[in-house]
Amino acid sequence: DAASMPEDLKGLNGFGILVISNFDTSSLNSKQLESLNKWVEQGRALFIGTGPNWKKVYSGLSEDLKPFQISNTKNMPDPKSLQAVTKKS
């Protein structure tokens, strides 16, 4: 949640990789977003999860953190190989 996201760069510097998925980034305040931008500028790796909740993940991020634009979405069935690994249809 937004309360656990550090507001200063020192708090983020303990991480080399950050994954944001299924999270409403618009709930982050301006200090948190500024620190996240600086953290990425320093060469850290930010992975942005998309999937069915991509809008809430992508909406609150600054344009600097949006290296691509999503123009369309499409539901696709799971491939058989993924079903074998997850043991789910």
Side-chain angles (χ1 to χ4, degrees):
D1 65 5
S4 63
M5 180 73 164
E7 286 192 348
D8 64 359
L9 195 53
K10 285 190 262 182
L12 285 174
N13 281 338
F15 300 95
I17 297 171
L18 185 61
V19 178
I20 299 177
S21 183
N22 198 23
F23 174 72
D24 185 358
T25 56
S26 66
S27 67
L28 298 174
N29 65 40
S30 60
K31 288 181 181 179
Q32 291 168 315
L33 289 169
E34 183 179 337
S35 294
L36 182 59
N37 282 342
K38 288 180 181 177
W39 182 82
V40 170
E41 286 173 5
Q42 291 179 348
R44 299 303 195 337
L46 173 64
F47 291 89
I48 302 168
T50 56
N53 295 314
W54 70 270
K55 287 181 183 178
K56 75 178 186 178
V57 175
Y58 220 52
S59 66
L61 298 175
S62 72
E63 292 304 312
D64 292 339
L65 296 178
K66 296 178 181 179
F68 55 88
Q69 295 297 317
I70 300 170
S71 61
N72 192 9
T73 60
K74 180 179 179 180
N75 290 329
M76 299 179 70
D78 293 332
K80 295 290 181 193
S81 60
L82 185 58
Q83 290 178 19
V85 172
T86 63
K87 301 199 183 341
K88 294 181 179 183
S89 60

